[in-house]
Each structure stands twice: as C-alpha cells, then as structure tokens.
Amino acid sequence: MGTDLQRSALTGIWRQLPFFVWLVALWMLLWGQFTVLAFLTGVVVAVFVTSVFRLPPVELSGRLNPWWLLVFTLQFLGAVVKGSLVVALQVVSPRRHPGVSVVAVPLVTDDDLIMAHVGVTASLIPGSLVLETDRDRRILYLHVLGASTDAEVERQRRMVQRWEARLVRAVGSRAQLEAIRASQAAADVRTRAKEESS
C-alpha cells in the first residue's frame, strides 16, 4: 500500500517535471539572467506556483525530438537577436515610424500547452506581444510593431504559424505533427493556385 502511494507520488512529480523546468527557464528568460541566483529564485518561484496554484497535470505527448528541439532553440535565439536589432532600428530611424497592427493568428493544433508555448515564444521575440487568446477557436491575437501593410501582417501571421510547426516537430504528438503537415500541404496548394491565377 505504501509503495503504491510512493509510486503514484513519483509518477505525479515526473509528469510535472517538464512544467517545473519550463517555469524555471521562463523565470530566467523574464529576468534576462542565466545565473545561479536566477536559477535558485526560479526554483523557489516554481515550487511556490506548483504547490499553491494547483494546476491539472500537464498532458505531454510523450514524444520528444532532440534534433528539432535544438533547431527550435537556435532559431528562437536568432529571432530574438534579429527582433532586437529591427526594433532598435525602428526606434532610432527618424524617417519612418513603424506601423502597428493587431494580428489574428489561427493555430492548427488543438492543444493548450502548444498554444501557450507559441504565445510565449511570440511574446519573447521583440516586436510582438500576445494580447489575447481565443482558446475555443484556437486563435492568438498579437500586437505587432512594424506591420502596417496587408503583406506585412500576413508575413507575421505565417511566422507565428511556423513557430507552432517547429514546436510540434520538437515536442508535439504524432497526430499534431500530421495535422501540421496536412495544413502546410493545403497552404502550398492555395499558394500555387493563387500564383497560377495571377
């Protein structure tokens, strides 16, 4: 009886471990410091959040692709650097005021964790910020700096959808991966049809 309780407690901890690690990483990203002190305070905050705010267990896909996770991480770091430079140029440029838009981005996958990761990723890249999420319709609404034309808005929308695809390749389930592939194939067909008609 005691071993069953211990086993279920260990299973619960193991299932919450990725969420716990994500909270610590998010804390360090929010402070912009990757130090021992930031890590330790992140652990304290994660323990507080997970024990005071009892959340339902995170249902993970059970699939992790280390290669695509590495690709996602490197592309994310590159996007943060590029976004910082673009925003800095937009701020100091006396000739042009960057336009702003609120962009609705429909997501393919119906998963709260993927949606949250896409929203956090989009918000951490300078120049965009998630204003609202429509969970039922799977839509993220972003405030985007430097998107004043229809083409720029569409480019931003496609960029966020690419982040979703990258996340699904790294940690999504096989069904989510198939949904992303089907959506990309349909988008390619629409693009070719539009090019042929014009």
Side-chain angles (χ1 to χ4, degrees), residues 28 32-41:
M28 293 170 74
Q33 297 179 357
F34 296 94
T35 62
V36 174
L37 181 61
F39 174 77
L40 292 176
T41 56

Side-chain angles (χ1 to χ4, degrees), residues 81-135:
V81 171
K82 180 183 175 187
S84 300
L85 294 173
V86 168
V87 170
L89 286 173
Q90 289 171 339
V91 168
V92 299
S93 174
R95 287 178 273 149
R96 180 174 176 260
H97 292 288
V100 295
S101 297
V102 175
V103 180
V105 183
L107 300 180
V108 175
T109 56
D110 187 14
D111 184 85
D112 291 342
L113 195 58
I114 295 290
M115 188 176 197
H117 286 340
V118 173
V120 168
T121 300
S123 289
L124 287 174
I125 296 171
S128 64
L129 179 69
V130 173
L131 295 175
E132 186 179 347
T133 59
D134 185 340
R135 183 178 174 213

Side-chain angles (χ1 to χ4, degrees), residues 6 12 16 30 33 37 54 84 94 113-115 145 150 157-158 188:
Q6 288 175 340
Q16 290 296 327
L30 287 173
Q33 297 179 357
L37 181 61
R54 283 294 192 192
S84 300
L113 195 58
I114 295 290
M115 188 176 197
L145 184 66
D150 289 343
R157 184 178 291 121
R158 283 196 312 269
D188 291 343

Side-chain angles (χ1 to χ4, degrees), residues 17 67 95 106 117 150 159 173:
L17 186 62
W67 168 250
R95 287 178 273 149
H117 286 340
D150 289 343
M159 187 180 75
S173 67

